[in-house]
Amino acid sequence: MKDLRRYLALKYIQYLVLSSSNTVSTLLGLLGSAYTMILLQSAKVSSKSTAVLISSLAKADILVFLSLVSDVVLGSFGAGVSPAASALVRILLTANAHLSCVLLSCVAFEAYLITFLPSESRPLRTVRNARLICRVIWMLVAAECALFLMDDHLRASGASAPSRGPLGLLFQLSSAAAALLRSLSYILGILLRIINVYIYYKIFFSMSPR
């Protein structure tokens, strides 16, 4: 449907074109996600793997809504806001951005399969597989954010964190893993942008009249 294509275009601009989020794109994204979730409940939208991916993409914006509500609530407390509460707001936005980028790439990859390998990829492009992919992506991002929260807690606790023994080793490993993920996030974001541009470039020129 045209509305779903417009929604995907909005999301690509928001997460894979703009260098950083802003108020206008955030509000438009939230409105688009709310409308899309309502639209996907309609009988006019067939239950296909692409619809499952788009539905999961729209649901990811719930995290943005929660972060905005948390920011308003924390702002009412002023200077009494704890570092852990502020870190939670940042983690919600990070989770949304990572979920959205990966799900958009999944939609692009499926479009590539539909365009160039329609019959060969049909057994893979099932609703069941799409739901499984969405669950795995959400679980991985949740694990990533839990690691970030743990690292933020260790940084805030400072000297009170254990430095020796098995527990100290665990904290050091989690801190190193969080630092590695943070350093890779920018590179992975650039790679996803390149891959998406390449996929839609191939699709566009394959459908253009020769």
Side-chain angles (χ1 to χ4, degrees):
M1 296 179 65
K2 290 183 178 180
D3 288 340
L4 293 181
R5 288 196 291 268
R6 293 191 186 102
Y7 173 70
L8 287 175
L10 171 64
K11 284 300 177 181
Y12 277 110
I13 293 172
Q14 182 181 359
Y15 290 103
L16 297 174
V17 176
L18 297 178
S19 58
S20 60
S21 61
N22 55 69
T23 304
V24 175
S25 64
T26 299
L27 292 178
L28 288 176
L30 286 173
L31 291 175
S33 295
Y35 174 72
T36 299
M37 284 191 285
I38 296 173
L39 184 64
L40 289 172
Q41 303 301 317
S42 172
K44 296 180 180 179
V45 180
S46 58
S47 180
K48 294 183 179 179
S49 55
T50 304
V52 174
L53 294 173
I54 294 176
S55 176
S56 186
L57 174 65
K59 291 174 182 175
D61 267 6
I62 295 175
L63 300 176
V64 177
F65 177 74
L66 292 176
S67 70
L68 292 177
V69 172
S70 300
D71 199 27
V72 171
V73 173
L74 294 176
S76 63
F77 289 98
V81 178
S82 65
S86 300
L88 180 60
V89 174
R90 293 195 305 270
I91 289 299
L92 288 172
L93 293 176
T94 299
N96 169 259
H98 291 185
L99 282 168
S100 299
C101 289
V102 177
L103 288 169
L104 284 169
S105 299
C106 290
V107 173
F109 182 67
E110 186 175 51
Y112 180 89
L113 293 177
I114 293 172
T115 304
F116 297 103
L117 300 168
S119 57
E120 296 89 343
S121 64
R122 187 171 290 112
L124 300 175
R125 294 184 288 105
T126 63
V127 171
R128 180 180 179 182
N129 287 342
R131 288 174 178 167
L132 178 61
I133 289 172
C134 291
R135 290 193 191 101
V136 170
I137 292 172
W138 277 82
M139 290 173 61
L140 290 176
V141 172
E144 175 194 33
C145 291
L147 188 62
F148 287 159
L149 280 175
M150 182 185 297
D151 183 58
D152 289 337
H153 175 71
L154 290 176
R155 291 176 182 272
S157 61
S160 62
S163 58
R164 295 181 180 181
L167 192 57
L169 178 61
L170 178 61
F171 285 158
Q172 291 176 12
L173 289 176
S174 64
S175 180
L180 179 61
L181 283 176
R182 286 191 173 99
S183 64
L184 289 177
S185 61
Y186 178 78
I187 299 174
L188 292 176
I190 295 296
L191 288 176
L192 287 179
R193 286 176 171 86
I194 295 173
I195 292 171
N196 279 271
V197 169
Y198 173 77
I199 287 175
Y200 284 111
Y201 171 84
K202 293 282 290 183
I203 293 174
F204 176 77
F205 281 100
S206 69
M207 299 177 65
S208 300
R210 298 176 182 177

